[in-house]
Amino acid sequence: MRRRLGGARQRATAARELLNADLGIGIEGGCVESAHGMSTCAWVVVVDRNGRASVGGSLHMPLPERVAKLVRQGVELGHAIDQISGELDTKQGAGAVGFLTGGLVDRQRAYEPLVSYALSPYLAPDWWA
C-alpha cells in the first residue's frame, strides 16, 4: 500500500505544480493478493499548496484466476485484460472494471467516489477544523 500511495502522491504533487493549482489529484491502481485470491485496489491522493495530503481508496474487485495468473507473471492488469479479451488499450477505456462487470461500471465511474473520498477534507472542512 505504501508504494501505491507514494505513486499517487507523486502524481498529485506533479499535477498541482504543473498547473500551479490549489489542489493536485493523483490516482494509482493495482492488484493485491489475499486469502480470497487476487483483487484490484486503487488510491487517490489530493495534495494542496501547503503540502497537506488527503487519501481516498478502495475499488476492491475480485479478479478471475486467468487474469490473476497473468498479473502474477508480471503482466500489467490492463495488458492482461487486452490479452484475454482480444481488445487493445482497454485500460484507457472501460478498464478492467468495465470488462469484469459486463459494462455496469466503467473506469471513470469506479474512480469518481475515490476522488470524492480524498477531497472530503476540502468539501466538508468544518469536520477537520
Side-chain angles (χ1 to χ4, degrees):
M1 179 173 89
R2 183 169 282 168
R3 186 175 67 84
R4 302 256 182 254
L5 288 174
R9 185 179 180 125
Q10 288 174 346
R11 285 184 172 89
T13 300
R16 198 210 62 72
E17 290 173 355
L18 178 69
L19 300 171
N20 193 28
D22 292 332
L23 300 173
I25 298 174
I27 300 173
E28 181 77 31
C31 301
V32 294
E33 290 275 7
S34 74
H36 303 287
M38 186 176 283
S39 62
T40 60
C41 65
W43 301 100
V44 174
V45 176
V46 175
V47 176
D48 66 19
R49 287 186 181 275
N50 299 320
R52 181 175 78 156
S54 177
V55 178
S58 192
L59 193 60
H60 187 274
M61 179 183 62
L63 293 174
E65 183 54 34
R66 61 188 176 153
V67 173
K69 182 178 178 182
L70 289 170
V71 172
R72 287 184 198 107
Q73 293 171 359
V75 177
E76 185 180 313
L77 177 59
H79 296 147
I81 295 294
D82 286 349
Q83 284 183 32
I84 292 170
S85 70
E87 301 286 328
L88 293 175
D89 211 15
T90 56
K91 72 182 218 170
Q92 298 304 321
V97 66
F99 277 86
L100 298 176
T101 64
L104 182 63
V105 178
D106 66 19
R107 187 170 172 258
Q108 180 176 331
R109 288 183 55 203
Y111 280 96
E112 287 172 350
L114 284 67
V115 172
S116 299
Y117 302 159
L119 284 169
S120 63
Y122 303 97
L123 298 172
D126 292 345
W127 287 92
W128 279 265

